[in-house]
Amino acid sequence: MVTKALTAAAIGINSYKIEVEVDVTNSLPGMSIVGLPDSAVSEARERVHSAIKNSGFSFPLGKVIVNLAPADIRKEGTNFDLPIAIGILKEQGIAIPDDDKTAFLGELSLDGILRKINGVLPLVSGLKEYGITTVFVPQENAKEAALVKDVTVFGAKHLGDIVQHFTETPIKPTIVDVNEYLSRNANTDFSYDFKDVKGQQKAKRALEIAAAGGHNILMSGSPGSGKTLMAKCLASILPPLELQEALELTKIYSISGLLTPDEPLMTRRPYRSVHHTASSNGIIGGGSNPKPGEITLAHRGVLFLDELVEFPRHILEALRQPLEDGEVVVSRTRTSVKYPAKFILVGAMNPCPCGFLGDKEKPCTCSEYQIQRYRSKLSGPLLDRIDLIINVPRLTTDELINTNAPAETSAQIRERVIKARKIQANRYKDEGIFTNSELNAKQIKIYCQLDKKTTDFLKVAAQKFQLSGRKYSRILKLARTIADLDSKENISLEHITQALQYRQE
């Protein structure tokens, strides 16, 4: 008789229901797993065999054949150990009822202990779409799995605990309060605060606009002007995560193995700082078994690239598609995986090779050719995808020492950012987007309308600065954010002129 147990396989941050079919034939003892398994799944034979015997159960004497259906989906990871063991125990007559609404996920140790696996949240979320209402997972994954509504989650420590659940002692379901985790967003204890940044009012304002609308920003300035410090401070003014954003981000960190059992939900927007020596797969994502890169780990947060021009040209050009579409597609011979990548790109660079072009105190030693060659490392199409391009001058000695005026705190700036984000969330509640930076061409026509005077001015500016279609759209979206920060329903001439001032190429 063929027995079955349900589980799931992950592809990207999505998952598919998998039926584990087990059959025992009268043949030489052994175990075979078919259905396109990778090496980790194939090795389950030894783990499952030892786990069943060391848990006090007998292992079939004949040939055990395990089929993972559908067979055309690549099976990766160790989460198939538990459902394979459950299928074998059913074949042995253990009192585990057949139920097409119950699934099993987990890795087994040789003594039957259930070990933590990666990707539980996307796996359980996918199973819910297939009508699964009950899931058994390792106890360390229980809180994460319980984030999915309308699914009963049982966390088990040992294979024997699951058998006893159906025969003697039921396991208590795991329940978590998602709102309790999200309330931790109210914590504003950040390591870096804008109150510690002297001067640089224009740069601070630009970063506030970037945070409010989710816009990309490039800061150019001499060494020591505060670019890196202000980029780190940006994390302190980002608004709290919405529930949908938090769950989406948690799925990414779950499949990357970056969650802890005590913190099953991402409660803060990520800030990822990447060195220019990082590999393409590390930044964009990929590998033989595709995994998320830094641009996906920065989803709904900040990706900071210091010394932007030092990054290899092919990596910078690979950023163009994610910056435009908010997602990255990693294609391989056997599969194609799509990851979300809606992040705020913050770039920092020197204005020239020596770094002192336009400096108030130290003269630049670069030739015109060197400056032009240095700046040409950033292509026009990439710059088109950056909304704010600003110059960050280095403070003079007098400004650095004698500036005693109290600076605005990150908490004060954050309040304005949150207010602007709430305006956008209410405006786009039926559009499936959260920020102005996500507006498409059709939505721009609806939400970025201008009066005749402002339209005429922008037309003249577009001709004078030779704005491309993409730059024109991004200026409209930038002006929309500036208007939201001013709590204005309509975009005015003042908002357009401000937006144009932040395009200092």
Side-chain angles (χ1 to χ4, degrees):
M1 181 183 73
V2 176
T3 59
K4 296 181 180 179
L6 299 179
T7 187
I11 299 180
I13 63 169
N14 300 314
S15 66
Y16 298 87
K17 185 176 74 172
I18 301 296
E19 283 190 357
V20 178
E21 301 173 330
V22 177
D23 188 25
V24 179
T25 62
N26 292 324
S27 182
L28 291 174
M31 186 173 176
S32 176
I33 300 177
V34 297
L36 210 60
D38 71 349
S39 58
V41 180
S42 298
E43 291 169 355
R45 293 173 300 192
E46 312 305 327
R47 292 193 298 270
V48 170
H49 185 275
S50 295
I52 289 177
K53 291 185 64 178
N54 292 326
S55 298
F57 305 106
S58 62
F59 196 85
L61 297 177
K63 175 75 171 180
V64 179
I65 302 174
V66 178
N67 179 44
L68 307 178
D72 61 338
I73 295 177
R74 184 75 175 174
K75 318 302 187 306
E76 299 174 356
T78 57
N79 60 288
F80 298 95
D81 291 8
L82 179 58
I84 291 173
I86 293 296
I88 294 174
L89 291 176
K90 284 183 179 181
E91 181 70 23
Q92 291 291 92
I94 304 297
I96 301 175
D98 289 323
D99 185 358
D100 61 358
K101 302 293 184 182
T102 301
F104 302 86
L105 303 164
E107 176 186 338
L108 288 170
S109 67
L110 297 183
D111 55 1
I113 292 175
L114 285 170
R115 287 179 171 156
K116 179 178 180 289
I117 59 173
N118 296 334
V120 164
L121 182 59
L123 290 172
V124 176
S125 298
L127 286 170
K128 178 186 174 182
E129 299 299 321
Y130 287 96
I132 299 299
T133 58
T134 304
V135 178
F136 287 84
V137 299
Q139 191 173 58
E140 287 186 86
N141 292 120
K143 289 183 179 180
E144 180 186 340
L147 294 172
V148 181
K149 288 184 177 181
D150 303 322
V151 175
T152 303
V153 175
F154 295 102
K157 292 182 178 179
H158 195 277
L159 177 60
D161 295 342
I162 297 177
V163 176
Q164 290 183 4
H165 172 83
F166 294 104
T167 57
E168 299 177 12
T169 309
I171 303 171
K172 291 184 179 180
T174 301
I175 300 174
V176 300
D177 186 354
V178 177
N179 293 324
E180 187 271 332
Y181 283 110
L182 284 177
S183 65
R184 298 178 186 180
N185 285 319
N187 180 13
T188 55
D189 183 20
F190 293 93
S191 301
Y192 298 91
D193 195 295
F194 273 111
K195 69 180 180 182
D196 300 320
V197 180
K198 293 186 176 183
Q200 306 296 4
Q201 297 305 317
K202 183 176 181 179
K204 291 179 182 179
R205 172 64 174 174
L207 288 166
E208 178 183 341
I209 295 170
H215 301 286
N216 305 315
I217 180 171
L218 173 60
M219 296 181 287
S220 175
S222 303
S225 59
K227 304 184 296 295
T228 302
L229 174 60
M230 287 189 288
K232 292 178 179 178
C233 290
L234 180 59
S236 65
I237 65 172
L238 293 176
L241 284 165
E242 299 291 337
L243 177 58
Q244 183 180 341
E245 293 178 305
L247 290 174
E248 192 175 31
L249 186 61
T250 303
K251 288 182 181 181
I252 295 168
Y253 277 71
S254 178
I255 62 176
S256 301
L258 299 177
L259 291 180
T260 61
D262 295 330
E263 294 292 337
L265 183 69
M266 293 292 294
T267 56
R268 280 192 178 184
R269 295 183 184 272
Y271 174 88
R272 309 291 298 187
S273 180
V274 185
H275 194 264
H276 60 79
T277 58
S279 67
S280 177
N281 287 346
I283 296 176
I284 307 301
S288 55
N289 295 327
K291 296 296 181 184
E294 290 291 341
I295 64 173
T296 299
L297 294 174
H299 183 60
R300 299 297 179 187
V302 174
L303 178 70
F304 178 49
L305 304 182
D306 201 2
E307 302 299 339
L308 187 62
V309 295
E310 300 299 330
F311 283 80
R313 182 68 176 261
H314 71 278
I315 291 180
L316 294 179
E317 295 305 306
L319 291 174
R320 286 161 53 180
Q321 183 237 339
L323 289 174
E324 188 72 20
D325 301 332
E327 61 185 22
V328 59
V329 178
V330 180
S331 297
R332 294 293 180 266
T333 303
R334 294 179 176 178
T335 185
S336 179
V337 180
K338 183 185 294 184
Y339 293 115
K342 294 180 179 178
F343 56 90
I344 298 175
L345 174 65
V346 179
M349 59 177 285
N350 295 332
C352 65
C354 77
F356 296 100
L357 179 66
D359 191 79
K360 298 177 182 178
E361 296 186 351
K362 192 169 182 178
C364 173
T365 59
C366 303
S367 67
E368 190 68 29
Y369 172 74
Q370 289 175 317
I371 295 172
Q372 185 63 32
R373 184 181 179 185
Y374 180 79
R375 292 182 174 180
S376 66
K377 294 181 181 179
L378 299 181
S379 67
L382 178 62
L383 291 173
D384 272 1
R385 289 165 170 81
I386 298 177
D387 305 303
L388 301 104
I389 301 176
I390 61 170
N391 179 47
V392 183
R394 190 168 58 139
L395 299 178
T396 63
T397 304
D398 289 340
E399 291 173 328
L400 188 63
I401 296 175
N402 299 325
T403 301
N404 296 317
E408 200 171 26
T409 65
S410 290
Q412 293 172 305
I413 301 173
R414 191 173 191 242
E415 287 180 5
R416 295 196 297 267
V417 171
I418 292 173
K419 184 178 179 181
R421 284 286 185 110
K422 286 181 177 178
I423 292 173
Q424 294 168 64
N426 183 62
R427 182 191 298 134
Y428 307 132
K429 59 184 177 182
D430 298 324
E431 299 286 355
I433 60 176
F434 292 96
T435 61
N436 292 323
S437 63
E438 300 175 66
L439 290 170
N440 59 34
K442 181 180 179 180
Q443 293 164 340
I444 288 175
K445 292 181 180 179
I446 300 173
Y447 300 111
C448 298
Q449 296 183 7
L450 308 176
D451 57 33
K452 186 178 185 304
K453 179 181 178 182
T454 307
T455 302
D456 292 342
F457 173 82
L458 186 55
K459 182 179 179 180
V460 173
Q463 293 174 342
K464 180 178 180 180
F465 298 112
Q466 298 180 338
L467 299 180
S468 65
R470 185 177 286 110
K471 284 183 183 177
Y472 180 84
S473 297
R474 288 187 175 272
I475 284 174
L476 286 176
K477 291 188 281 188
L478 194 60
R480 177 69 271 172
T481 299
I482 296 171
D484 289 339
L485 283 168
D486 290 344
S487 300
K488 301 295 184 181
E489 183 176 351
N490 298 317
I491 299 174
S492 67
L493 179 61
E494 177 187 357
H495 303 136
I496 290 292
T497 55
Q498 284 190 49
L500 287 168
Q501 289 175 4
Y502 292 112
R503 292 290 310 187
Q504 298 179 2
E505 296 183 41

